[in-house]
Amino acid sequence: MYVAALLANFFEAGHAIQIMIGDMTREQYFRSRLTRREIEKQLAAMVATAAELPEAVKKELSDVDWQAWIDLTPMLDCSTREKRDAVWTAIEEWLPPTGFHLRRYRWSKPGLFEFKPTDGA
């Protein structure tokens, strides 16, 4: 159940970002105060969740670059152009394929996504 919850949190945060970002341009995103703050919260949730996933699960779901998401951690404050570039790359380039892979995994590996008690729980 723990893994299913982590995967659900990761997926839902990414989905929320895609909804909020809509068709915003990079310039619109970085000018936006409210949307940007909320998206950065969701990105932080994704990063934290990726770090919490057991290594065996990350290996099993290897089409997602979990380490890249984890490595985004120091970039989330967007305090430099390099950090803003990294965040925008995550939103624009990593998020769509990550969501695609997770939807595919949910179909091909449903046991990882099922909320069921583990043995002894």
Side-chain angles (χ1 to χ4, degrees), residues 4 16-17 29 55 57 88 92 104 109:
I17 291 169
Y29 172 70
E55 288 303 316
V57 173
W88 187 250
E92 190 80 335
R104 186 173 49 85
K109 300 176 183 290

Side-chain angles (χ1 to χ4, degrees), residues 41-119:
K41 285 180 194 174
Q42 298 299 323
L43 283 171
M46 291 179 74
V47 165
T49 301
E52 289 289 321
L53 275 173
E55 288 303 316
V57 173
K58 291 177 195 174
K59 286 180 184 173
E60 193 168 348
L61 307 179
S62 62
D63 286 339
V64 174
D65 190 345
W66 300 106
Q67 192 58 51
W69 285 105
I70 295 166
D71 292 344
L72 190 62
T73 303
M75 304 299 172
L76 293 178
D77 68 14
C78 294
S79 60
T80 66
R81 177 147 183 102
E82 175 188 0
K83 291 179 177 185
R84 288 188 297 276
D85 288 346
V87 165
W88 187 250
T89 296
I91 292 168
E92 190 80 335
E93 296 177 21
W94 303 355
L95 200 54
T98 296
F100 169 79
H101 292 308
L102 288 175
R103 282 188 295 278
R104 186 173 49 85
Y105 283 133
R106 194 179 328 182
W107 181 81
S108 66
K109 300 176 183 290
L112 290 174
F113 294 83
E114 290 176 2
F115 285 88
K116 59 183 177 186
T118 56
D119 292 339

Side-chain angles (χ1 to χ4, degrees), residues 1-12 48-50 52-54 115:
M1 185 159 36
Y2 175 69
V3 167
L6 289 173
L7 291 171
N9 286 344
F10 187 88
F11 181 82
E12 291 302 322
T49 301
E52 289 289 321
L53 275 173
F115 285 88

